Amino acid sequence: MARNKAEDKGLTPKKARNYVSVAKIVVPAVAPVVLPFAVRAAGAAREAYDRYQARRLGVPVDRLPEFTGRGAGLLARIAGISDALAELRKSERATKEDTEFTGNAQATLEQLTAAVRAAERMPASRRKAAHQAVAAELASLESQTLHRLGV
């Protein structure tokens, strides 16, 4: 016996009504069982993503909200250099030149932070150019800081 062409159709209004009526019965029965697992899975996925982002930026997970946007990597580098400058300033063997350097470098880092934040609202080409300029300045500051720390 050959099938009717109407039977070969995919989703018909009658089938849709049947699916909705079945869902009205099944979903309230299954949701209390499945929902806690889904919430836990979503939380675990978010935590794993946060750990990945923090590892990629080189910062602790609890400081991750400080570094957002397209310049997050640069902001993380700025924070790292700032921490290194604080260690240099507190070091017992820090000379007067080192303390002057840390003061000047800290002022430069504040300007670079402002530049990165301002670049977030720029068109892509200008933002990339600004980020490249900031990255070059950061590389210079990092090398000077490491030299003064004796690394």
Side-chain angles (χ1 to χ4, degrees), residues 1-9 15:
M1 221 179 188
R3 286 192 160 186
N4 189 345
K5 284 190 176 183
E7 290 179 19
D8 291 339
K9 287 185 180 179
K15 285 183 180 180

Side-chain angles (χ1 to χ4, degrees), residues 5 12 25 27 53 58 66 73 79 82 86 96 123 132 143 146 148:
K5 284 190 176 183
T12 62
I25 296 169
V27 170
Q53 285 290 97
E66 296 175 30
S82 182
K96 182 180 177 185
Q132 287 174 351
S143 66
L146 289 174
R148 290 184 184 274

Side-chain angles (χ1 to χ4, degrees), residues 114-137:
V116 170
R117 298 227 186 267
E120 292 294 322
R121 293 170 200 83
M122 292 181 184
S125 60
R126 289 183 62 201
R127 182 181 58 245
K128 288 177 184 178
H131 284 183
Q132 287 174 351
V134 168
E137 187 67 29

Side-chain angles (χ1 to χ4, degrees), residues 87-95:
E87 288 180 25
L88 177 62
R89 193 177 306 120
K90 293 176 186 176
S91 175
E92 295 173 0
R93 50 178 227 168
T95 63

Side-chain angles (χ1 to χ4, degrees), residues 98-117:
D98 290 340
T99 56
E100 288 176 10
F101 169 75
T102 58
N104 293 337
Q106 197 64 42
T108 302
L109 289 177
E110 289 171 8
Q111 291 174 348
L112 293 177
T113 301
V116 170
R117 298 227 186 267

Side-chain angles (χ1 to χ4, degrees), residues 46-69:
R46 179 61 191 199
E47 184 178 331
Y49 179 72
D50 285 346
R51 279 185 279 135
Y52 163 75
Q53 285 290 97
R55 193 171 46 251
R56 190 173 64 86
L57 292 175
V59 297
V61 175
D62 58 332
R63 288 191 66 190
L64 192 59
E66 296 175 30
F67 313 112
T68 59

